[in-house]
């Protein structure tokens, strides 16, 4: 079970890392307007949160053999076919929701910074 959690965490972390890199690039492109940069970052991070929530919802019904986690899971660590679907979908759902919570917090922080820049007139 520990291997499944680790692999699920790594796969979702990698996907969020690439999305965060794209968001960071947009924010760097808008760095001459700090308020706009953080508004864009907050909005795009909120979109990432929404995507993670939708992926968590989809995880309940997605075929476990078509997940990236299943491909990376060593054969000796794979659960028996009788419980594999329920186990893997639960692990993936929990992992997606964990990252959705984190990205929601980051989005709130970015919107707060944008509000601060708006109040001080930048």
């Amino acid at each position: 079970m520990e291997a499944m959690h680790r692999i699920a965490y790594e796969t979702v972390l990698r996907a969020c890392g690439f999305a965060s890199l794209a968001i960071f690039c947009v924010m760097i492109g808008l760095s001459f307007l700090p308020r706009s940069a953080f508004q864009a970052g907050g909005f795009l991070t909120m979109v990432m949160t929404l995507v993670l929530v939708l992926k968590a919802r989809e995880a309940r019904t997605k075929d476990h053999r078509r997940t990236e986690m299943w491909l990376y899971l060593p054969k000796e660590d794979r659960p028996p076919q009788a419980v594999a679907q329920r186990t893997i979908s639960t692990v993936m759902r929990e992992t997606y929701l964990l990252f959705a919570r984190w990205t929601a917090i980051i989005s709130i922080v970015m919107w707060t910074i944008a509000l601060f820049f708006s109040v001080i007139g930048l």
Side-chain angles (χ1 to χ4, degrees):
M1 193 70 163
E2 181 62 33
M4 290 192 326
H5 281 285
R6 181 181 48 80
I7 291 171
Y9 186 88
E10 289 171 359
T11 58
V12 176
L13 179 65
R14 183 177 55 238
C16 287
F18 283 123
S20 297
L21 178 62
I23 293 168
F24 179 73
C25 287
V26 168
M27 290 179 68
I28 289 296
L30 292 170
S31 62
F32 58 92
L33 296 169
R35 181 176 53 98
S36 295
F38 280 101
Q39 283 177 334
F43 174 77
L44 293 171
T45 306
M46 195 168 31
V47 169
M48 185 165 62
T49 302
L50 177 64
V51 168
L52 287 165
V53 169
L54 292 174
K55 294 290 284 182
R57 186 177 171 108
E58 176 194 36
R60 293 184 292 176
T61 58
K62 186 172 185 175
D63 183 13
H64 69 280
R65 293 168 292 179
R66 295 195 179 270
T67 61
E68 188 176 3
M69 185 178 104
W70 184 258
L71 297 174
Y72 286 130
L73 199 59
K75 292 193 187 297
E76 62 273 3
D77 290 336
R78 290 180 178 174
Q81 286 294 330
V83 295
Q85 177 67 40
R86 187 179 70 223
T87 305
I88 289 177
S89 64
T90 301
V91 169
M92 290 305 295
R93 184 174 183 273
E94 289 172 357
T95 306
Y96 282 130
L97 290 176
L98 173 68
F99 278 86
R101 275 186 230 114
W102 290 350
T103 57
I105 291 168
I106 292 168
S107 179
I108 291 168
V109 168
M110 286 193 194
W111 280 109
T112 304
I113 293 170
L115 179 65
F116 172 75
F117 281 133
S118 180
V119 167
I120 65 170
L122 283 177

